[in-house]
Amino acid sequence: MRVRETVREAVVTPVAFPDPPLLNSAGVHQPWALRAVIELRCGDGLVGLGETYGDSAHLRLLRAVAPALTGLDPFDTHGLLRRVRAVLGDDTDTPDRHGLTGGSSPQKTTLRVLSPFEVACLDLQGQLIGRPVTDLLGGKVRGEVPYSAYLFHKWAAHPGADAGEEAYGEDPYGEALDPDGIVAQAKRMTDTYGFRSIKLKGGVLPPDREVETIRALRAAFPDHPLRLDPNAAWTVETSRRVAAETEGLLEYLEDPTPGIDGMAEVARGAPMALATNMVVVSPDDIPRGFAERSVGVVLADHHYWGGLRRTAELAGICRTFGIGVSMHSNSHLGISLAAMTHLGGALPELSYAADTHTPWQYGVDVLTEPLPITDGSVAVPDRPGLGISLDPDALARLHENYLRCGIRDRDDTAYMRRFDPSYRKRRPRW
């Protein structure tokens, strides 16, 4: 048993992979999604993996921290946090440019820089003692973690020659700009992956049209829990109306309106729980967000809550206050899916299926054997650490994508304005 290994090198590799033209309240996804792959190398082929955002401001902080991790004991995650804080100093308020994961703060920036390194440390810990990460989080409470189909209004393809499609072939889902298109997308996705719950990214069409889409989904999937997430695109008044009109249709309504105060106003009369990944997004938000009962479900995201252990702590706090727990997703690769699956496998509080963008990556990954989604769930790996292996050739290809794609920051609004110069991101819009 190797227990005295230390980090010899921390490597940060930015990557890009094709992203379909998925619509949301901020605009539309660009042709390439950005991520950063973290490797904590300890010698003799021992490597811990993490994954995080690839935007330039975040990448700069990751690269600043990486050299400071030489000599770190992978079991010393308190020491990891001290090193991250020492490097960042006052440089701790980088914005979320696309605005889909809530506001920024110094605390949130520190935690999202910490997160991928913490995941990589846990991966190393598990490999060193021969146990899966789930065991390091308290043990397995479920052998499979359920995930939800994640539906988007989308264009048939990126306009013009805006790249990406050649890397994964023909888009199997096509256009979805009306209820029929969304239902067809849902049927294909559930047939392929066996999802047993369904989430629709809203805030794209007028609210009445999205209510119509939810009704069409309920007719097509009478037994699937449904969710709707307009990313704060509605006023309090519109949110109240939609909540009333979707009574009995939705498992929860996610971030219908901006801010803790607005969410609290809607929550007081909504017949279903309100969920969030936009208003309770760091420990600073918990006291007021929970005291005002602004949310009934928190979509925990280890990428900005500080890693797996801190997200487990969040789940425990949610239990204390009677708040449900799910997991939020952004465009991601298999390292993130593995980390989410280990976390979900160890969380007694996980009361709703987690989100995932995995189907939208069309099989592109950096792993030798990506974890499959079967019957709507991912089996928790029993192998040591995260139970995954990096494919160096795939990593090199995706890094080459990054170098040549020209995108350095996600900006859904700016990309939308290339095709509709009058477009503005407004919250609320309706």
Side-chain angles (χ1 to χ4, degrees), residues 92-175:
T92 53
D93 195 5
T94 59
D96 170 4
R97 295 196 53 167
H98 55 87
L100 298 179
T101 58
S104 184
S105 70
Q107 184 182 49
K108 186 180 176 186
T109 299
T110 297
L111 292 177
R112 73 185 187 192
V113 172
L114 171 70
S115 172
F117 296 116
E118 186 256 15
V119 171
C121 281
L122 291 176
D123 188 18
L124 286 171
Q125 290 177 29
Q127 293 179 59
L128 286 165
I129 65 172
R131 304 291 288 270
V133 165
T134 311
D135 287 356
L136 304 176
L137 300 174
K140 188 186 296 183
V141 298
R142 58 181 62 82
E144 297 180 338
V145 176
Y147 287 88
S148 177
Y150 203 162
L151 311 182
F152 283 81
H153 296 95
K154 66 182 292 291
W155 297 335
H158 287 283
D162 280 308
E165 289 86 353
E166 74 278 2
Y168 53 68
E170 183 180 356
D171 185 328
Y173 288 96
E175 182 178 273

Side-chain angles (χ1 to χ4, degrees), residues 142-147 327 340-342 344-345 350 354 376-380:
R142 58 181 62 82
E144 297 180 338
V145 176
Y147 287 88
M327 284 192 283
M340 292 172 66
T341 300
H342 279 278
L350 186 68
S377 297
V378 177
V380 180

Side-chain angles (χ1 to χ4, degrees), residues 10-353:
V11 180
V12 179
T13 305
V15 298
F17 50 92
D19 209 7
L22 308 178
L23 298 159
N24 56 60
S25 71
V28 62
H29 286 209
Q30 295 156 286
W32 297 93
L34 306 179
R35 297 295 274 182
V37 173
I38 303 297
E39 298 173 77
L40 295 186
R41 299 175 178 171
C42 292
D44 298 327
L46 184 64
V47 179
L49 299 177
E51 180 189 335
T52 184
Y53 313 105
D55 300 88
S56 61
H58 185 61
L59 193 60
R60 176 176 58 81
L61 300 182
L62 296 171
R63 285 171 162 165
V65 166
L69 303 187
T70 300
L72 176 71
D73 182 340
F75 288 88
D76 185 14
T77 53
H78 292 307
L80 169 64
L81 178 58
R82 287 194 297 272
R83 294 185 189 212
V84 169
R85 285 175 169 162
V87 171
L88 296 188
D90 296 328
D91 192 6
T92 53
D93 195 5
T94 59
D96 170 4
R97 295 196 53 167
H98 55 87
L100 298 179
T101 58
S104 184
S105 70
Q107 184 182 49
K108 186 180 176 186
T109 299
T110 297
L111 292 177
R112 73 185 187 192
V113 172
L114 171 70
S115 172
F117 296 116
E118 186 256 15
V119 171
C121 281
L122 291 176
D123 188 18
L124 286 171
Q125 290 177 29
Q127 293 179 59
L128 286 165
I129 65 172
R131 304 291 288 270
V133 165
T134 311
D135 287 356
L136 304 176
L137 300 174
K140 188 186 296 183
V141 298
R142 58 181 62 82
E144 297 180 338
V145 176
Y147 287 88
S148 177
Y150 203 162
L151 311 182
F152 283 81
H153 296 95
K154 66 182 292 291
W155 297 335
H158 287 283
D162 280 308
E165 289 86 353
E166 74 278 2
Y168 53 68
E170 183 180 356
D171 185 328
Y173 288 96
E175 182 178 273
L177 297 174
D178 57 23
D180 289 343
I182 291 292
V183 169
Q185 183 185 110
K187 288 181 176 178
R188 185 178 189 100
M189 194 171 287
T190 55
D191 287 348
T192 302
Y193 297 96
F195 292 119
R196 299 174 185 177
S197 61
I198 295 172
K199 172 174 172 174
L200 172 64
K201 178 66 76 178
V204 174
L205 304 180
D208 290 344
R209 192 66 165 156
E210 293 185 348
V211 170
E212 181 184 348
T213 301
I214 290 295
R215 290 178 175 145
L217 285 168
R218 171 52 68 231
F221 298 91
D223 299 323
H224 284 58
L226 303 179
R227 311 160 181 183
L228 175 59
D229 173 21
N231 279 129
W234 304 336
T235 63
V236 168
E237 293 74 16
T238 298
S239 300
R240 286 172 168 166
R241 177 174 62 81
V242 172
E245 291 178 1
T246 53
E247 181 173 4
L249 300 178
L250 294 180
E251 180 180 38
Y252 59 66
L253 178 59
E254 181 181 339
D255 286 311
T257 202
I260 287 175
D261 292 339
M263 289 282 284
E265 285 188 62
V266 177
R268 281 193 285 272
M272 73 288 289
L274 299 192
T276 190
N277 71 275
M278 295 184 70
V279 301
V280 177
V281 294
S282 77
D284 288 338
D285 302 318
I286 290 174
R288 191 162 74 88
F290 286 9
E292 296 190 17
R293 306 302 296 179
S294 62
V295 298
V297 182
V298 170
L299 277 75
D301 188 328
H302 76 271
H303 299 94
Y304 59 76
W305 278 96
L308 303 186
R309 286 198 174 121
R310 282 172 174 76
T311 306
E313 291 173 0
L314 167 66
I317 295 170
C318 289
R319 180 183 65 245
T320 299
F321 285 89
I323 305 294
V325 177
S326 182
M327 284 192 283
H328 168 256
S329 165
N330 211 321
S331 300
H332 65 84
L333 295 167
I335 300 171
S336 285
L337 182 65
M340 292 172 66
T341 300
H342 279 278
L343 179 62
L347 283 188
E349 299 85 2
L350 186 68
S351 37
Y352 299 90

